[in-house]
Amino acid sequence: MNADQKMRQSTSASAYGARAGTGAGPGAGDGDPPGRVRRFWSERRVPAGIVALVIAAVSGLLLYDVAAVRSGWRAMRWRDWLADELAARPLDNAWMVAGAALLAALGVWMVVMAMAPGLRGLLPMRAPEPEPGAGAEAEAAIRAGIDRTSAGLVLRDRAMEVPGVRSARVDVGRRRIRARALAHFRDLDEVRADLDAALHEGIRQLGLARPPALSVRVRRSAKSKG
């Protein structure tokens, strides 16, 4: 790649970066405004069942041991060992501090996971226009979403339809869509502008409730450099 090609590629990428930062671009203001559609929440039946079974097993074992001691039986070895260790080690012991920090981190992680909606791979779509006479319950009962991988495939097909694009890759995130393309003919700025417009139109037609920001980068194919 000569100096002129490097300068053209760098100019193409930086020019798009300036536009993307302002949110401008073809299709940015098209379509309906993003609706107040909440994300899909995971039911988490399996994780909740596993946690409930573990807590029930530990609580049942501890309750059985306490009842056995109250009935005159000897406590289990693990409880004797645990009681001796807790009585012998000071609170500033490294193992005590590490164990407390681990339990606290585990508790915080479980609380965060319980409050997070989950289903990160599913993007919510806009609700359809309510039919005349339909109530709010009928409108709320209709919810649609699209998988991020499927959305990426749709947008990649859109990118491959742009003249000059040899190959393309589109990664769809929850907040940003990153498109990377190789151009084997036409000027890089022209390919990037057409690709920008095609992807914005594709995102608009996906009907997402919260359209992610778009980032496009186009570079020259290795075969066309020679």
Side-chain angles (χ1 to χ4, degrees):
M1 179 186 295
N2 54 36
D4 182 61
Q5 289 177 332
K6 290 182 179 179
M7 184 177 297
R8 290 170 61 193
Q9 177 177 340
S10 176
T11 303
S12 175
S14 61
Y16 180 79
R19 273 181 53 188
T22 59
D30 296 339
D32 300 330
R36 295 182 177 274
V37 180
R38 294 181 300 175
R39 287 177 54 190
F40 290 89
W41 280 74
S42 174
E43 295 182 353
R44 298 186 177 94
R45 294 178 179 176
V46 175
I50 293 176
V51 172
L53 288 176
V54 171
I55 294 178
V58 173
S59 302
L61 182 62
L62 183 60
L63 181 60
Y64 169 79
D65 189 55
V66 171
V69 172
R70 294 295 183 182
S71 301
W73 294 82
R74 182 179 176 82
M76 294 183 180
R77 292 183 178 180
W78 66 269
R79 201 155 74 91
D80 286 339
W81 174 84
L82 182 61
D84 293 340
E85 290 293 327
L86 292 177
R89 294 180 183 272
L91 294 179
D92 58 351
N93 183 268
W95 287 102
M96 297 286 290
V97 174
L102 180 61
L103 292 177
L106 180 61
V108 171
W109 177 76
M110 293 181 67
V111 171
V112 171
M113 290 295 101
M115 297 179 63
L119 296 179
R120 297 175 61 86
L122 197 60
L123 298 177
M125 302 173 67
R126 288 195 300 266
E129 291 293 333
E131 298 181 358
E137 297 180 357
E139 180 181 356
I142 302 177
R143 298 193 63 193
I146 183 172
D147 184 71
R148 281 169 27 185
T149 303
S150 301
L153 293 176
V154 172
L155 295 178
R156 184 183 66 84
D157 292 342
R158 279 294 192 122
M160 294 300 298
E161 296 175 357
V162 175
V165 174
R166 180 184 181 89
S167 63
R169 176 180 177 180
V170 180
D171 298 321
V172 178
R174 293 198 305 111
R175 294 183 176 87
R176 181 172 293 275
I177 297 176
R178 293 178 174 84
R180 304 293 180 263
L182 293 178
H184 59 111
F185 69 91
R186 297 182 66 199
D187 183 74
L188 289 179
D189 290 333
E190 295 179 358
V191 175
R192 181 196 52 77
D194 291 346
L195 183 60
D196 184 17
L199 291 180
H200 270 101
E201 178 64 18
I203 294 173
R204 187 188 68 81
Q205 292 183 355
L206 287 177
L208 300 178
R210 299 179 181 88
L214 177 62
S215 172
V216 177
R217 184 175 297 274
V218 180
R219 61 188 181 91
R220 186 69 66 190
S221 174
K223 292 185 178 181
S224 60
K225 292 176 185 178

